[in-house]
Amino acid sequence: MANQVEEFKQALVTEQPEEKDGKRFTIDNDGKAQWAFRKIREKQAQIAANKDIVKEAKEWAKTKNNALQKDVDYLKSLLLAYGSENLAKDPDYRFDSPLGKILLKKKPATWKHDEGKLIEQYKGTPFIETKLLWNDLKKNLQEVDGKVIDKETGEFVDGVSVTQGEKELTVQISHKGVK
């Protein structure tokens, strides 16, 4: 591989005929024309060879990176198992170090609504124009013990349900100071 890299570096140097007496090289006979065609073919062959080298290097890197990613995934699974064991012993368990963290993250809650019931309940309010303004209304709602209430009126809201997000154990790798 190192030999191919050297060949690639050498191929980057362009070869042009030298100028004589400050004059630019010109093709003015059949011999020079033949020379130019040979040089074009050589350069095209070098381009093709360079593309092959790059393709081989990319394939090699992809193979190496796939193997490395398998190692990363395996080690993450070991960390998750370790975190899960400790979480079973202590529900508030967290691992935090300069190299990474094992955290229990809660996914956001999912809100579902019945537009018909909400339009009926909020008719004549700023939350209904030509249709239900769900995003504006949602800002005015709050979930309490599995029920949804209107923050302004304190009334229960019919037609809206909230499903709490599940908790998920995750591994975060710190990339600070990594070179």
Side-chain angles (χ1 to χ4, degrees):
M1 187 75 175
N3 189 27
Q4 288 177 331
V5 172
E6 278 304 311
E7 289 175 16
F8 183 71
K9 286 179 182 177
Q10 288 176 355
L12 294 176
V13 178
T14 59
E15 181 185 322
Q16 294 183 359
E18 294 182 25
E19 294 180 6
K20 290 185 181 179
D21 301 327
K23 290 184 179 178
R24 185 173 164 222
F25 176 79
T26 58
I27 297 175
D28 53 12
N29 63 44
D30 291 349
K32 289 181 180 179
Q34 289 291 68
W35 176 87
F37 281 118
R38 276 194 302 276
K39 287 298 177 183
I40 289 171
R41 289 178 79 182
E42 286 176 20
K43 300 300 179 190
Q44 288 175 335
Q46 287 176 342
I47 290 170
N50 291 344
K51 287 180 180 179
D52 288 343
I53 291 170
V54 169
K55 183 180 175 185
E56 289 173 14
K58 284 182 179 180
E59 289 172 3
W60 175 85
K62 184 178 178 180
T63 301
K64 290 293 183 181
N65 288 342
N66 286 342
L68 292 170
Q69 188 60 50
K70 283 182 181 178
D71 290 346
V72 167
D73 293 343
Y74 173 70
L75 292 170
K76 280 185 176 182
S77 72
L78 293 178
L79 286 167
L80 288 172
Y82 173 73
S84 186
E85 284 178 26
N86 285 303
L87 194 59
K89 296 174 192 172
D90 176 11
D92 296 324
Y93 172 78
R94 292 184 195 276
F95 180 84
D96 191 355
S97 82
L99 299 175
K101 300 176 183 182
I102 301 173
L103 302 170
L104 187 63
K105 285 188 173 183
K106 184 178 179 183
K107 292 182 181 179
T110 304
W111 290 64
K112 294 183 181 176
H113 65 280
D114 181 337
E115 196 163 327
K117 287 182 180 179
L118 292 173
I119 287 174
E120 192 175 304
Q121 184 172 352
Y122 283 93
K123 195 178 286 183
T125 68
F127 301 116
I128 307 293
E129 288 180 354
T130 56
K131 64 178 188 157
L132 173 68
L133 302 175
W134 169 245
N135 289 332
D136 294 339
L137 176 59
K138 185 177 173 185
K139 293 175 189 171
N140 198 49
L141 303 177
Q142 181 178 357
E143 186 266 332
V144 178
D145 296 328
K147 304 274 185 187
V148 178
I149 61 167
D150 186 314
K151 291 179 191 176
E152 289 180 7
T153 65
E155 294 178 7
F156 289 108
V157 178
D158 193 29
V160 179
S161 64
V162 179
T163 305
Q164 291 300 322
E166 295 180 15
K167 293 181 180 181
E168 177 182 41
L169 199 59
T170 62
V171 173
Q172 291 180 346
I173 311 301
S174 174
H175 295 288
K176 293 178 186 172
V178 176
K179 294 183 180 180

